[in-house]
Amino acid sequence: MIEKSLVIIKPDGVERGLIGEILRRFENAGLKIIGMKMVWVDRKFAEEHYKAHRKKPFFRELVEFITEGPVVAFVAEGVHAVGNVRRLVGSTSPHEASPGTIRGDFAHMSMAYASKKGLGGKNLIHASGNKAEADAEVKLWFRKEEMHSYSTVHEKHVF
Ligand code: CDP
Ligand code: MG
């Protein structure tokens, strides 16, 4: 039941100065950050990360968006981490994301509006969609030596 999920604070989140705010939400929920780095990914890496969306009409814009500045990528570990991270992140389209979620609290636009403008949907954050995606994404972004095993106080009271 202990899972790892890959989370990326996208260029809009980094440029808006929301790194700390976003990390705080995962730490407060008791999720453990076991690896973290800032990277400016190139087109090739972005295309690999988003390869499931290769055929989608927004693919080109999405790759442009994720490569327009540095991102902060981290691995969050915890009980049902994949689903729990998605709950904290909120729905893909910020205008449908509930208040209290990261996308609902810090953005409001829709994917329809983004595509009308010919832009990638700026929704601040990426989080693995399911366990298989999480396993593949953690492997793509982090080498074993870049992840760490340690104890937090949360392990006594939160999980
Ligand atoms: O990120 P999430 O898993 O919630 O959504 P996705 O369906 O896997 O789509 C990946 C990303 O593509 C989204 O987070 C948006 O940034 C972007 N996207 C877009 O630009 N236009 C759409 N119509 C749908 C998604
Ligand atoms: Mg997804």
Side-chain angles (χ1 to χ4, degrees), residues 6-7 34-37 45 73-75 137-147:
L6 191 271
V7 186
I34 61 162
M36 181 161 64
K37 58 186 165 190
F45 188 90
F74 60 93
V75 179
E137 290 179 355
V138 167
K139 209 164 153 204
L140 175 67
W141 285 77
F142 285 85
R143 285 182 285 120
K144 265 214 166 81
E145 317 82 77
E146 293 177 311
M147 289 185 281

Side-chain angles (χ1 to χ4, degrees), residues 7-22 38-40 50 61-72 89 91-94 102-111 114 119-127:
V7 186
I8 305 166
I9 305 174
K10 293 177 173 179
D12 54 334
V14 172
E15 287 172 22
R16 288 177 58 187
L18 291 172
I19 298 169
E21 174 64 38
I22 289 172
M38 178 177 264
V39 262
W40 194 329
Y50 277 127
E61 290 84 351
L62 176 58
V63 169
E64 243 152 58
F65 163 39
I66 204 75
T67 56
E68 76 182 34
V71 302
V72 172
V89 164
S91 302
T92 301
S93 204
I102 293 163
R103 287 166 171 167
D105 282 351
F106 296 105
H108 72 279
M109 66 85 204
S110 69
M111 291 298 144
L119 298 168
K122 301 204 172 186
N123 54 3
L124 299 162
I125 184 160
H126 165 83

Side-chain angles (χ1 to χ4, degrees), residues 18 39 46-47 50 56 63 79-80 94 98 103 159:
L18 291 172
V39 262
E47 286 175 354
Y50 277 127
K56 305 265 175 73
V63 169
V79 180
H80 306 300
S98 303
R103 287 166 171 167
F159 66 78

